[in-house]
Amino acid sequence: MAWTKEMPARPVVAVAGATGAVGAEFLQVLHDLDFPASEVRALASARSAGKKLPFLGCGDVAEGDLVVQEMTPESFEGVDIALFSAGASVSQEMRDAVVAAGAVMIDNSSAFRMDEDVPLVVPEVNPQDISWHNGVIANPNCSTIQMVVALKPLYDIAPIDRVVVSTYQAASGAGAPAMAELFDQTREYLNGTPDEDLTVSAFQHRIAFNCIPHIDKFLEDDSTKEEWKMVVETKKIMGDDNIKVAATCVRVPVLRCHGESLNVEFSAPVSVEAAREALEQAPGVVMLDEVDNNVYPMPGLLAGTDETYVGRLRKDPTVDNGLAFWIVADQIRKGAALNAVQIAQLLLP
Ligand SMILES: NC(=O)c1ccc[n+]([C@@H]2O[C@H](COP(=O)([O-])OP(=O)(O)OC[C@H]3O[C@@H](n4cnc5c(N)ncnc54)[C@H](OP(=O)(O)O)[C@@H]3O)[C@@H](O)[C@H]2O)c1
């Protein structure tokens, strides 16, 4: 049964996980989009209760510090939209309280993404799916979001048979402590600290001056759960179970922004020119593709941006109907906070 409660024009918004990497970006994006909130509540664990978070303001909420409250089931009374980025177990624990309070949970974790009664939404791709939510809408995995934003305009030219994708994922994808670990380890490494004395906790191995082909846990078929997410989430968002996705996900020593190399096979010919035109007109996509001038998207230069950048577009001559390209997006913004706030915008009356 679909949700029937009306969303007020000036909703009360809770940011659950406000002290984290995504939480901080939620506050920034609410300000940047001037989301018409009547109140913004910052929630985190007991560890952070009382901490002050600077907030630039949005809607009826003036600029000033938000005082972090400990998240409990009671935190959601009076809330209309709960933006969640506190990890899957917290989302699972709080779901009933959020829905019982009459709020819509927009969840960044992997807790509910593949549940049949939970839409998995990227506003540029499947905005229509918010219509059947039952109080929970899932934000897809960050690597999947930027990929489908770029695939959708191409899919509209010709159905996609197969995608081979390799990711180059930023350290911040594993949260604020992982970002700090990249900084600290790089400093320690340059100071000559031997490998065995480096602090390694956010990843399985040293991330400074390294690449780690291991994100999330390994599954029975020796793929990782991050790779599995890209496979199944793409089918659900695009509404096409026939799209085959082969993914290899790699963590790289970049602070922010994921890069992805894609090889896409279509069921009919798609010229480079037609693909370029479609991508240039697609919502949320910016082409950065002038090889003669060394112009292509690079993670180090695109932090803090909202779009999915596409470059290196060319024919893949190894298959029939193939294209190859490279994409970059800020995974904390479009891959998490921005996408979720864009979903919240779709809920407004
Ligand atoms: N980073 C990304 O690029 C990205 C992208 C897409 C999705 N996500 C997802 O977003 C979620 C958060 O990621 P993050 O990168 O922001 O992590 P993070 O920087 O480690 O932040 C985690 C947040 O969750 C809060 N938290 C942890 N345990 C809690 C508890 N028991 N009760 C209440 N709050 C609790 C933390 O509060 P304290 O400060 O009080 O500990 C903090 O605010 C994860 O599910 C992640 O998979 C992250």
Side-chain angles (χ1 to χ4, degrees):
M1 200 179 68
W3 189 256
T4 50
K5 187 179 166 253
E6 268 183 43
M7 182 60 65
R10 314 291 287 180
V12 173
V13 176
V15 176
T19 51
V22 177
E25 206 61 40
F26 268 139
L27 298 180
Q28 185 62 46
V29 171
L30 287 168
H31 168 76
D32 292 346
L33 302 190
D34 195 16
F35 192 80
S38 56
E39 181 190 333
V40 175
R41 271 180 219 173
L43 307 174
S45 77
R47 291 180 292 274
S48 307
K51 192 173 169 186
K52 288 183 181 159
L53 298 178
F55 181 49
L56 293 169
C58 71
D60 303 336
V61 187
E63 181 176 352
D65 288 343
L66 297 176
V67 179
V68 177
Q69 301 169 31
E70 179 185 352
M71 193 189 321
T72 67
E74 290 72 42
S75 307
F76 300 97
E77 278 161 25
V79 169
D80 300 299
I81 295 175
L83 301 169
F84 261 76
S85 65
S89 58
V90 177
S91 297
Q92 269 151 351
E93 211 180 300
M94 292 291 161
R95 176 188 182 150
D96 289 349
V98 173
V99 175
V104 179
M105 173 190 257
I106 303 175
D107 185 36
N108 262 288
S109 81
S110 57
F112 314 116
R113 287 182 189 146
M114 296 312 294
D115 289 7
E116 274 184 16
D117 63 341
V118 174
L120 185 63
V121 176
V122 178
E124 291 87 343
V125 181
N126 60 336
Q128 70 284 357
D129 283 341
I130 65 152
S131 64
W132 52 270
H133 80 82
N134 291 304
V136 181
I137 300 172
N139 213 49
N141 172 259
C142 44
S143 311
T144 312
I145 293 179
Q146 66 185 69
M147 182 168 80
V148 296
V149 166
L151 289 180
K152 177 69 165 76
L154 304 177
Y155 185 93
D156 288 343
I157 304 175
I160 291 169
D161 287 338
R162 179 169 185 249
V163 179
V164 179
V165 55
S166 299
T167 69
Y168 300 62
Q169 297 186 219
S172 55
M179 235 195 279
E181 185 158 316
L182 173 57
F183 264 125
D184 295 343
Q185 252 181 25
T186 305
R187 207 176 287 120
E188 288 174 49
Y189 192 80
L190 289 173
N191 281 337
T193 307
D195 249 333
E196 58 275 19
D197 293 340
L198 291 173
T199 311
V200 174
S201 72
F203 305 106
Q204 302 80 6
H205 303 276
R206 159 165 67 83
I207 185 65
F209 302 98
N210 197 14
C211 296
I212 307 172
H214 177 182
I215 300 179
D216 211 330
K217 63 183 181 192
F218 280 105
L219 304 178
E220 266 183 18
D221 65 356
D222 291 345
S223 68
T224 63
K225 193 163 177 212
E226 184 81 353
E227 291 157 0
W228 172 85
K229 287 174 200 164
M230 294 191 79
V231 174
V232 295
E233 291 181 16
T234 300
K235 293 174 197 271
K236 180 167 175 176
I237 300 162
M238 304 280 283
D240 185 346
D241 272 344
N242 294 320
I243 302 178
K244 296 190 277 286
V245 178
T248 302
C249 293
V250 182
R251 189 74 69 188
V252 296
V254 159
L255 213 47
R256 215 174 142 138
C257 290
H258 292 348
E260 296 178 7
S261 157
L262 284 114
N263 289 70
V264 183
E265 275 182 75
F266 298 87
S267 59
V270 176
S271 68
V272 169
E273 294 70 29
R276 186 181 306 282
E277 200 182 325
L279 287 162
E280 276 168 355
Q281 287 168 10
V285 175
V286 170
M287 290 299 289
L288 279 184
D289 195 20
E290 291 171 47
V291 287
D292 291 344
N293 294 319
N294 302 334
V295 172
Y296 28 72
M298 288 179 285
L301 305 185
L302 291 169
T305 58
D306 289 347
E307 284 79 18
T308 296
Y309 293 85
V310 181
R312 300 290 324 277
L313 176 63
R314 61 208 190 275
K315 193 174 162 50
D316 177 349
T318 64
V319 292
D320 292 336
N321 311 325
L323 291 176
F325 50 96
W326 165 252
I327 63 174
V328 172
D330 183 327
Q331 94 290 345
I332 309 185
R333 280 185 80 90
K334 185 54 191 167
L338 175 66
N339 195 73
V341 177
Q342 287 172 327
I343 292 172
Q345 285 181 315
L346 293 175
L347 293 170
L348 293 172

